[in-house]
Amino acid sequence: MEKNIEHACITHVIFDVDGTILDTEALYNTAKKKVIARYGAEEQFTRALRSKTAGKQAIDVAEIITEECDLPLTPDEFIAELDMVLKPILPTAQLKPGAERLIHHLADHNVPVAIATSSRRRTGKMKMSGHSDLFNLFSHKVFGSDDPEVGRGKPNPDIFLVAAKRFEDPPSPENCLVFEDSTSGVQGALEAGMQVVMVPEHLIHPGATEVIDSFEEFDPVKYGLPGYDDDDNTFSNGY
């Protein structure tokens, strides 16, 4: 699904990580459910609650879960318990289909790419460790949950504006393309004045510039980016 508009020429690309590049949702849900189950509240960890917390910063997620599941924990205590469960499983996160091909393609054609994730630096590095060569292609990474310049989390635009200004040659927002899976992420990118391709795991944001089922459907040429070469097909589908 694509809006019938003319795309501004894209010069820089910003990626979310969880649910966009990496398939981490099941890992996080397993860890959260394990912590919540310790306090007998696993039935309150519903699909609606999972969707409500998608894309948000760690402290915001912890505040919502501890309140709605009525846990006898502070948000910081919930995060500490969650980290213990996540530590051994985050490095096993797999790439989403087509992600590796697209990122290598952009890097090979000297298109600057950056990360804008709501994760903390510590957990962000854990999940990226399984694909370090790929994540080393990014010029910089913004970890929204503990970056001092990111005052407000998604759905606010702060993280995307910070990511854009840290490029060596900072672009105008309209020349940035963002890839996101969550409605909160799409909203933040739109408020930053950027174009957004949504690769949804749950709800669809009606304001997204384009909605695709996977990176394998993405056509860079639509946005003024270099088209794929035949040899770009050498990458796996992510699984």
Side-chain angles (χ1 to χ4, degrees):
M1 184 178 71
E2 180 183 1
K3 284 188 168 182
N4 187 24
I5 61 172
E6 186 155 342
H7 305 302
C9 185
I10 295 301
T11 59
H12 295 67
V13 181
I14 299 172
F15 288 81
D16 172 52
V17 175
D18 291 296
T20 303
I21 296 177
L22 291 177
D23 191 5
T24 55
E25 182 180 33
L27 301 179
Y28 271 101
N29 285 340
T30 296
K32 290 170 186 172
K33 188 172 182 178
K34 187 171 183 178
V35 174
I36 293 167
R38 292 172 182 167
Y39 304 95
E42 59 267 32
E43 291 185 3
Q44 292 167 263
F45 188 52
T46 61
R47 181 179 177 86
L49 181 54
R50 295 195 294 271
S51 296
K52 184 176 181 179
T53 56
K56 296 186 182 295
Q57 292 187 356
I59 191 65
D60 297 329
V61 172
E63 287 174 351
I64 293 169
I65 289 178
T66 53
E67 180 178 346
E68 297 207 9
C69 294
D70 196 26
L71 301 182
L73 300 170
T74 66
D76 285 337
E77 288 170 340
F78 177 81
I79 290 172
E81 290 200 25
L82 186 64
D83 280 354
M84 294 299 293
V85 181
L86 286 171
K87 187 175 180 179
I89 63 174
L90 277 184
T92 70
Q94 298 298 301
L95 295 169
K96 299 284 275 189
E100 184 176 21
R101 180 192 185 205
L102 175 58
I103 294 164
H104 272 282
H105 173 74
L106 295 173
D108 288 346
H109 289 82
N110 299 312
V111 177
V113 290
I115 291 291
T117 173
S118 294
S119 295
R120 289 163 291 144
R121 181 175 295 275
R122 178 186 175 197
T123 53
K125 288 190 171 184
M126 282 182 200
K127 70 189 75 166
M128 294 177 195
S129 66
H131 307 279
S132 56
D133 288 347
L134 183 67
F135 283 102
N136 285 339
L137 297 175
F138 291 89
S139 69
H140 57 281
K141 305 173 182 70
V142 181
F143 298 95
S145 284
D146 52 16
D147 190 302
E149 289 194 65
V150 181
R152 302 169 300 168
K154 303 171 186 179
N156 297 291
D158 304 33
I159 192 170
F160 299 107
L161 296 173
V162 170
K165 80 174 187 178
R166 289 185 185 169
F167 281 113
E168 185 175 343
D169 182 18
S172 298
E174 62 268 23
N175 297 123
C176 291
L177 181 65
V178 175
F179 286 96
E180 266 285 355
D181 71 299
S182 70
T183 55
S184 60
V186 172
Q187 184 62 33
L190 291 172
E191 291 191 14
M194 301 175 181
Q195 297 183 66
V196 196
V197 173
M198 187 178 197
V199 194
E201 289 205 315
H202 297 292
L203 302 175
I204 292 176
H205 192 300
T209 311
E210 183 177 6
V211 179
I212 57 179
D213 290 330
S214 84
F215 285 117
E216 294 172 325
E217 297 179 4
F218 178 67
D219 180 6
V221 176
K222 286 183 186 177
Y223 296 87
L225 295 166
Y228 282 124
D229 302 318
D230 290 341
D231 57 2
D232 284 326
N233 289 313
T234 58
F235 294 104
S236 69
N237 67 2
Y239 289 100

